Amino acid sequence: MRHIGTHLKHTLAKTRMTERGELMRYFCGKLNKGRERDGLPPIGMARMGKMLEKIPTKDLYYIKRVCDDAPNFSKKFWYLLNPEKYEK
């Protein structure tokens, strides 16, 4: 017989999942693979949330699709967040 707390923690974790959170986890996972390879510290969920806070969820789906189609996911992601920074 297990303690009731183990069941409560499991159900609370499921109810807090959102589609925006899933997209943020996806972006963190894809970006952190390249960052680890380059010796940079990984991006956490808090930092990712701060970067994407003003972008609507429907636009995050667009960013995901475009980045998946691009040859370099990370380069395209950073460009889409702030194109003025990269254009001269």
Side-chain angles (χ1 to χ4, degrees), residues 4-83:
I4 194 167
T6 59
H7 299 292
L8 292 176
K9 290 177 189 173
H10 184 63
T11 57
L12 286 176
K14 280 188 176 179
T15 58
R16 300 238 350 158
M17 293 177 91
T18 62
E19 60 182 315
R20 187 171 185 87
E22 290 175 20
L23 285 169
M24 286 173 45
R25 271 190 213 85
Y26 177 79
F27 288 133
C28 281
K30 291 287 263 189
L31 292 172
N32 285 338
K33 285 180 190 175
R35 291 177 67 86
E36 288 174 8
R37 193 173 42 238
D38 295 338
L40 298 170
I43 295 177
M45 284 293 287
R47 181 68 189 145
M48 184 61 68
K50 187 67 177 166
M51 289 188 301
L52 301 177
E53 71 182 344
K54 294 184 180 177
I55 300 175
T57 305
K58 63 180 181 172
D59 292 342
L60 290 179
Y61 281 110
Y62 171 76
I63 291 172
K64 178 184 181 292
R65 185 177 54 83
V66 170
C67 290
D68 284 339
D69 294 341
N72 188 338
F73 185 93
S74 180
K75 188 183 248 185
K76 192 65 169 180
F77 176 81
W78 294 115
Y79 175 79
L80 288 172
L81 286 187
N82 190 3

